Amino acid sequence: MKNITLSNGTTVEVECLSCALTSGIIEPDGGAVYETEHFHAHQDVAYPIKGLMILASKRHIKCFDELTDQEQLDYIKTLSKISYAQRKVLGIEYVYYFYNEDTAHHFHTWMVPRYDWMAGFGRSIESVRPILLYARNEMNNKENIDEVMAAINSLRKELNNDV
């Protein structure tokens, strides 16, 4: 079991954070934004950046090549749908996508939007970690959290409008 501190200050003890989130054992702030048979999308629980989505497999796997054919199709369709919603609803022009197999978690993709305030950190992969830490340490205030929650609700409405 691991202790993980969420952006809201809550510490949780879990074997796998993604499993706990996708199964509903832990409810991310704002709840699930979008779900399919194979995937669960939610606001990142560690970094309060509006529109920073995590797309996690519901099945506990670690590697991209472990996805079934059906999961692969669902993954790319869902990733594309979320990307479209981020652009339409939040006006995000660019998104950085991250997936790594060298993790204690299971298969998930970070969808990190780029905002104007991030320009001071640079425009490369090296800029992402400082941006995330800045958000966690400097943006955990009521005004920003309210914006994050509004973004969650807007994305959820857009993503589920055809359901």
Side-chain angles (χ1 to χ4, degrees):
M1 296 294 263
K2 295 175 272 205
N3 286 325
I4 299 172
T5 302
L6 308 179
S7 67
N8 65 14
T10 304
T11 300
V12 296
E13 185 177 14
V14 294
E15 191 69 38
C16 173
L17 179 60
S18 293
C19 282
L21 289 163
T22 62
S23 69
I25 293 170
I26 295 175
E27 181 80 8
D29 288 346
V33 175
Y34 186 70
E35 288 192 70
T36 68
E37 179 181 352
H38 304 289
F39 290 93
H40 181 280
H42 56 273
Q43 171 71 35
D44 188 288
V45 297
Y47 307 104
I49 297 172
K50 66 181 181 177
L52 197 171
M53 294 285 101
I54 300 295
L55 180 60
S57 64
K58 289 184 176 179
R59 192 166 61 92
H60 185 84
I61 59 172
K62 289 192 176 187
C63 301
F64 193 77
D65 61 340
E66 292 179 68
L67 292 171
T68 66
D69 289 346
Q70 188 177 11
E71 288 169 330
Q72 290 173 17
L73 292 172
D74 191 20
Y75 172 74
I76 195 66
K77 181 179 175 186
T78 305
L79 198 67
S80 297
K81 184 172 183 161
I82 294 168
S83 178
Y84 176 78
Q86 286 174 313
R87 292 180 202 291
K88 180 179 178 185
V89 174
L90 302 179
I92 296 167
E93 187 173 355
Y94 301 107
V95 177
Y96 286 13
Y97 299 88
F98 295 96
Y99 147 74
N100 68 313
E101 295 176 353
D102 183 19
T103 178
H105 297 93
H106 75 227
F107 183 83
H108 64 284
T109 301
W110 289 273
M111 301 176 73
V112 184
R114 293 291 303 199
Y115 292 102
D116 290 342
W117 67 264
M118 297 173 174
F121 294 93
R123 295 198 63 85
S124 69
I125 194 167
E126 288 92 11
S127 70
V128 176
R129 186 71 178 149
I131 287 168
L132 296 176
L133 292 175
Y134 176 84
R136 182 175 17 208
N137 296 327
E138 305 298 328
M139 297 175 70
N140 254 330
N141 56 61
K142 182 175 177 4
E143 180 182 349
N144 185 61
I145 299 302
D146 288 348
E147 288 182 23
V148 168
M149 295 303 287
I152 289 169
N153 291 328
S154 295
L155 286 168
R156 181 182 299 109
K157 182 178 178 182
E158 176 65 26
L159 288 163
N160 293 285
N161 70 4
D162 62 346
V163 177

